[in-house]
Each structure stands twice: as structure tokens, then as C-alpha cells.
Amino acid sequence: DAGVTQSPTHLIKTRGQQVTLRCSPISGHKSVSWYQQVLGQGPQFIFQYYEKEERGRGNFPDRFSARQFPNYSSELNVNALLLGDSALYLCASSIDRPKNTEAFFGQGTRLTVV
Amino acid sequence: SQQGEEDPQALSIQEGENATMNCSYKTSINNLQWYRQNSGRGLVHLILIRSNEREKHSGRLRVTLDTSKKSSSLLITASRAADTASYFCATFRGDTGFQKLVFGTGTRLLVSP
């Protein structure tokens, strides 16, 4: 079975641009969460989607948005990019609402804002 | 804010030695998970230990959990150069409607041949 897949793997954008990151969860998993990891730190929670509805949002500005599609894949959008948005963006997949179950991560998208 | 804190921040050992990493957390938990991350790539799930478990094994990995001290440890036995990575502990935080994984800052492990 394929694991969590994310695309693209690397991306370079300039300040002010917009970016869309994509995630396909493990087959049968209904929950997708997004995390941002800046260099030298642990991942920070951005969004959680379950059954196509937003279930939780982290402390990120409104420039960050996301959605989940009927096939449970997800997109993360970031508008008006800032240099500080440069980070590894990780998608996590869970079979159910992530509470007492394992969360499996993709390889991430490395976003560089110049 | 970080829920967990790993200790030490960095660890350097020789192949064949054992590596022990510790994690402390602040709130009550249902479970705790350990992840490995190679060179800034994705997180690999290593093991989940539930709050009613005290110890769990997976191959060369041994995880302990002490809920009274709000701490966990990850032991890697007979380490290999391929074990070189950053290791994170993570716990769920939130209410019954929604919970998010909260990570520590990680331990960077270097295993030299």
C-alpha cells in the first residue's frame, strides 16, 4: 500500500506569491492534518480535516487555508508568502479522528520563499 | 507551545552502542508516539505507547512510559550508522472534539561507524 504522498517535494516562490501544496492520505484514512516545521524545531500544527470538514486550526494567520476533497486528499494554500513561511510542510494521515491512533506522515514539501 | 521536550538535544555515539533519549510532557495523555526524521525529510512513525502501558518493544527499539513523572524514554540498542536522525516524541492535545499532535524539539542522534 502506498503511504502518504505529498507534492511537490520542493518549491521555490517569491515573496507575495501564492502556493498550493497537495497531500494524498493512506487508502482508507479519512483524516488529514497539516504541520509546518521550520529548521531546528519540531512540527507545528496548522490544520486538521476529517470527513471533509475542518476540525481544528492552529495559530496561523488567515493567509493559510486548506480543504479536503471527497476522496480525502487535501490541499494547503498559503497566500501572500513571507520569507518566514519557508519551511518543511508535512501532511499526516490517520484512519479516524487523530486521538488514540497512529498518525503517519508524508515526506513533506520543502518550501523556500525568496 | 511545545508539549514535550526531548533530552538530550544532541547525542553522539559509536556504532554498536546503545542510545537513550528522553521526553517529558506537561499534560495528561492517552498515548505518546515516537517518530524519526532523516535529514529534514518526512517523519517515520516508530512506536505508539498507550497510557496504560509501561514498556513496549519493536525490534531494536524499547520505549518506556512513566505517567507519574510525565516522561518517556526511547532506547535504541546496538545502534547503526543508519540510525543517524532526529527523534521526536509527540502527544495528542485538545478536547474530545479535536486533538492535534504536539511535538517536542527533538534529539539529534549521530552514530559514527
Side-chain angles (χ1 to χ4, degrees):
Chain A
D1 284 342
V4 180
T5 57
Q6 292 186 243
S7 62
T9 55
H10 295 83
L11 203 52
I12 300 175
K13 291 284 189 177
T14 57
R15 282 178 294 176
Q17 284 190 315
Q18 174 264 343
V19 68
T20 298
L21 311 180
R22 297 176 176 80
C23 171
S24 293
I26 293 170
S27 178
H29 285 199
K30 299 180 179 179
S31 177
V32 169
S33 300
W34 287 94
Y35 290 78
Q36 180 197 63
Q37 185 180 23
V38 298
L39 197 62
Q41 297 184 19
Q44 296 286 321
F45 172 79
I46 309 175
F47 283 110
Q48 182 189 112
Y49 277 78
Y50 175 72
E51 287 286 16
K52 302 175 283 290
E53 292 188 12
E54 181 181 308
R55 302 292 178 167
R57 184 187 181 110
N59 188 23
F60 281 80
D62 291 343
R63 299 184 296 106
F64 288 76
S65 64
R67 56 180 174 170
Q68 187 177 32
F69 299 98
N71 66 353
Y72 302 108
S73 66
S74 177
E75 287 183 352
L76 174 70
N77 296 284
V78 187
N79 294 322
L81 286 166
L82 304 174
L83 295 180
D85 295 330
S86 295
L88 181 68
Y89 288 85
L90 296 161
C91 172
S93 162
S94 299
I95 193 166
D96 205 334
R97 294 189 190 202
K99 185 164 63 175
N100 291 322
T101 60
E102 292 92 340
F104 298 93
F105 285 78
Q107 287 298 301
T109 294
R110 172 72 63 186
L111 172 65
T112 302
V113 182
V114 296
Chain B
S1 62
Q2 301 285 353
Q3 161 77 320
E5 292 187 4
E6 286 89 346
D7 167 51
Q9 290 188 336
L11 182 61
S12 183
I13 60 175
Q14 300 290 317
E15 265 191 330
E17 295 180 337
N18 295 341
T20 300
M21 289 158 269
N22 302 296
C23 166
S24 61
Y25 57 91
K26 299 175 182 175
T27 63
S28 61
I29 61 171
N30 289 320
N31 63 61
L32 184 143
Q33 304 185 52
W34 283 91
Y35 290 86
R36 184 185 75 231
Q37 186 175 41
N38 294 83
S39 300
R41 296 178 60 80
L43 297 168
V44 175
H45 187 272
L46 295 177
I47 201 163
L48 178 150
I49 186 167
R50 304 192 186 280
S51 59
N52 61 353
E53 298 174 311
R54 291 297 168 258
E55 188 172 310
K56 202 164 182 178
H57 296 256
S58 177
R60 293 184 295 113
L61 306 180
R62 173 178 169 253
V63 169
T64 62
L65 179 64
D66 187 336
T67 54
S68 67
K69 296 181 179 178
K70 290 186 169 60
S71 68
S72 175
S73 68
L74 170 67
L75 168 68
I76 304 174
T77 60
S79 62
R80 305 165 181 168
D83 295 327
T84 294
S86 291
Y87 292 82
F88 294 90
C89 68
T91 58
F92 282 113
R93 192 177 198 179
D95 56 32
T96 54
F98 144 72
Q99 292 195 345
K100 63 181 182 182
L101 271 177
V102 181
F103 289 83
T105 52
T107 292
R108 295 185 305 279
L109 174 65
L110 173 63
V111 182
S112 302

